Amino acid sequence: MHTQKPSQGFTLVELIVILLLIGLLAGLASKSWTSLVSSTRHVSAINETHRMFAFARSYAINKRVLTTICPLSSSLICTDDWNKPVSVFPDRDNDKRPDGGKIHRISHLANGHLDFYSRTAGRGYFQFSPDGMSHGTMGSLIICSRSGKDPVEISYLALNIGGRLRHLRDDNGDGVIKLPWGVSLTCPKT
């Protein structure tokens, strides 16, 4: 009697189904990975901003000197473009320029993946007095990140009179932050 050996391997239909499943899973993993990387960059920028403000406040207290935080132009004058590197420097004469050209810290907050917008009434700078309090008018920053076709991730960082940075975020993912006093913040369209 003649017996047939069971065939080994996959049929063409089984192979096509497996390849389709692998492609589908790879597509889902890629979208999740992109979203995770974008979210991680956003959180990292928030943490770096908190560190920078804490450093500036600590420097002002320890050195007993008015301290300014701002992006600087090539002529070392504060600008309002927070997508540029941001500097922390002593500013005894309050001219919004580093005393003697001395800068104590430079942070690259935006790092090409996020957009920073200041809400400082056009001033573009923040200051700490020697007692660690906010010097002059307070202000805030809005951090926006986009991940392809995903919705905008937005955070709001406000400096209070006590020199502390407060953070609010868009909890429901709609790209809007509603402030306690009723103002709604969104990221500008690019």
Side-chain angles (χ1 to χ4, degrees), residues 51-71:
R51 280 191 294 274
M52 181 187 63
F53 274 76
F55 171 81
R57 184 172 188 264
S58 175
Y59 181 84
I61 293 168
N62 290 326
K63 300 294 182 181
R64 306 292 300 156
V65 64
L66 180 65
T67 302
T68 300
I69 304 172
C70 71

Side-chain angles (χ1 to χ4, degrees), residues 123-185:
R123 290 184 333 270
Y125 62 85
F126 296 89
Q127 291 181 306
F128 291 100
S129 61
D131 62 1
M133 303 285 281
S134 179
H135 180 79
T137 310
M138 282 63 64
S140 58
L141 294 171
I142 298 174
I143 304 172
C144 302
S145 61
R146 292 172 178 82
S147 176
K149 296 176 185 168
D150 289 343
V152 173
E153 190 170 354
I154 179 173
S155 292
Y156 172 76
L157 298 159
L159 184 66
N160 68 21
I161 191 73
R164 304 266 195 243
L165 205 56
R166 180 174 47 102
H167 173 217
L168 295 175
R169 66 177 195 210
D170 173 21
D171 289 324
N172 62 2
D174 65 353
V176 178
I177 294 178
K178 185 131 180 147
L179 298 178
W181 51 91
V183 174
S184 293
L185 300 175

Side-chain angles (χ1 to χ4, degrees), residues 84-155:
K84 290 182 175 182
V86 178
S87 300
V88 174
F89 54 88
D91 193 6
R92 284 178 179 80
D93 55 3
N94 198 14
D95 66 351
K96 312 330 173 261
R97 300 177 75 140
D99 292 344
K102 190 181 256 185
I103 299 171
H104 287 288
R105 183 170 182 178
I106 298 174
S107 293
H108 299 271
L109 300 175
N111 68 28
H113 301 286
L114 304 153
D115 293 318
F116 276 70
Y117 303 97
S118 76
R119 292 175 42 93
T120 57
R123 290 184 333 270
Y125 62 85
F126 296 89
Q127 291 181 306
F128 291 100
S129 61
D131 62 1
M133 303 285 281
S134 179
H135 180 79
T137 310
M138 282 63 64
S140 58
L141 294 171
I142 298 174
I143 304 172
C144 302
S145 61
R146 292 172 178 82
S147 176
K149 296 176 185 168
D150 289 343
V152 173
E153 190 170 354
I154 179 173
S155 292

Side-chain angles (χ1 to χ4, degrees), residues 10-24:
F10 298 106
T11 66
L12 183 58
V13 172
E14 291 171 330
L15 189 58
I16 290 172
V17 168
I18 288 172
L19 289 175
L20 285 173
L21 286 173
I22 290 172
L24 180 67

Side-chain angles (χ1 to χ4, degrees), residues 23-34:
L24 180 67
L25 291 173
L28 291 173
S30 173
K31 181 175 170 52
S32 295
W33 180 256
T34 303

Side-chain angles (χ1 to χ4, degrees), residues 31-46:
K31 181 175 170 52
S32 295
W33 180 256
T34 303
S35 179
L36 178 65
V37 167
S38 176
S39 180
T40 300
R41 285 180 179 151
H42 192 90
V43 168
S44 178
I46 291 166

